[in-house]
Amino acid sequence: MTWHESFAAFPSAALASATTETLVMLPGMLGDGRVFDEVIAALPVVVSCRPVRIDLDDSVHEMAESVLAVAPQHFALAGHSLGGIVALEIWRCAPTRVTRLALLSTSARPPTDAQLCAWTDLHNRTENGEFSAIIDEQAHVNVGSRGGSELIAQWKAMAAKVGADGFLRQLRAQKSRTDSRPSLAGITVPTVVLSGGDDAVCPPDLQRELAAGIPDSCHVTVEGAGHMISLDHPGEVAAHLAAWLAVRPAAVREA
């Protein structure tokens, strides 16, 4: 889908000449603000971006509350993977503060039994001192087979910065996820849902499900991108976010 097709997919939208909103950006598990560096560099200079950590709390709800505590009164919101799950919780907690929503490589579903078992295993291994080995394994899982050594190194550097304690908190938070699908129809702001065509961690079908449940939404698949869509295809991600940011949202509601 092209930039203009992505923009046109918002039927109720009108162009805004510029945006003065702050774009709060939430990384995924074992990620930090650097996951968005190249995307931010490619966005129009009028966009004020604020990456926010989500590795300091033990539940998705607590993560959402921590983001809201440091975010402006009204803001655009983008979340990748676990960050997208937190973004959906932020919408539920404070819908009058969110002006628009971008969901990257994420899911509205609650954990599966297989995921819960995998997270328990990762939790136990981390507590047993295997965090370095887990970083090596998860780098290849998250970056995917097409990711080169530079992307692998970028991912490992972020994971090391989050650290074992942050990872344990994020694993506990993953287990607290709720089923967001029943609340999707209540999202009333322009929403863009981005998928990596080669994402094996969070396949595009999960993003199609998200977009189908959100009334004013557009789903875009970036072909050739993996789970770390903002690392391996930052230019395309920035173009679609720029289109989304150019959509005039409904009048900002009073909190």
Side-chain angles (χ1 to χ4, degrees), residues 47-72:
V47 180
S48 174
C49 299
R50 186 185 297 182
V52 177
R53 296 173 65 177
I54 59 162
D55 60 321
L56 301 174
D57 299 290
D58 293 311
S59 73
V60 168
H61 181 73
E62 290 171 345
M63 289 174 172
E65 292 290 338
S66 291
V67 173
L68 286 165
V70 299

Side-chain angles (χ1 to χ4, degrees), residues 10-23:
F10 292 94
S12 63
L15 270 174
S17 58
T19 179
T20 58
E21 299 159 84
T22 295
L23 173 56

Side-chain angles (χ1 to χ4, degrees), residues 159-189:
K161 182 68 178 293
V162 172
D165 288 342
F167 185 46
L168 290 172
R169 288 190 290 268
Q170 290 181 331
L171 288 169
R172 287 191 287 269
Q174 286 277 29
K175 292 183 177 182
S176 77
R177 285 164 48 178
T178 60
D179 189 346
S180 292
R181 289 172 293 180
S183 63
L184 295 179
I187 296 175
T188 56
V189 293

Side-chain angles (χ1 to χ4, degrees), residues 34-53:
R34 287 172 288 181
V35 75
F36 299 115
D37 279 354
E38 291 190 51
V39 174
I40 292 170
L43 284 170
V45 293
V46 296
V47 180
S48 174
C49 299
R50 186 185 297 182
V52 177
R53 296 173 65 177

Side-chain angles (χ1 to χ4, degrees), residues 124-149:
N124 293 339
R125 290 180 59 199
T126 301
E127 288 195 322
N128 288 332
E130 297 182 47
F131 183 61
S132 293
I134 289 170
I135 288 180
D136 290 339
E137 296 164 5
Q138 292 298 311
H140 292 279
V141 169
N142 281 273
V143 174
S145 59
R146 295 194 183 188
S149 58

Side-chain angles (χ1 to χ4, degrees), residues 91-150:
W91 168 264
R92 287 190 291 270
C93 291
T96 61
R97 293 180 61 184
V98 179
T99 58
R100 62 184 80 232
L101 191 60
L103 302 168
L104 287 66
S105 305
T106 193
S107 168
R109 296 185 178 188
T112 64
D113 289 341
Q115 286 174 319
L116 291 171
C117 288
W119 295 332
T120 297
D121 179 62
L122 289 171
H123 188 282
N124 293 339
R125 290 180 59 199
T126 301
E127 288 195 322
N128 288 332
E130 297 182 47
F131 183 61
S132 293
I134 289 170
I135 288 180
D136 290 339
E137 296 164 5
Q138 292 298 311
H140 292 279
V141 169
N142 281 273
V143 174
S145 59
R146 295 194 183 188
S149 58
E150 184 177 346

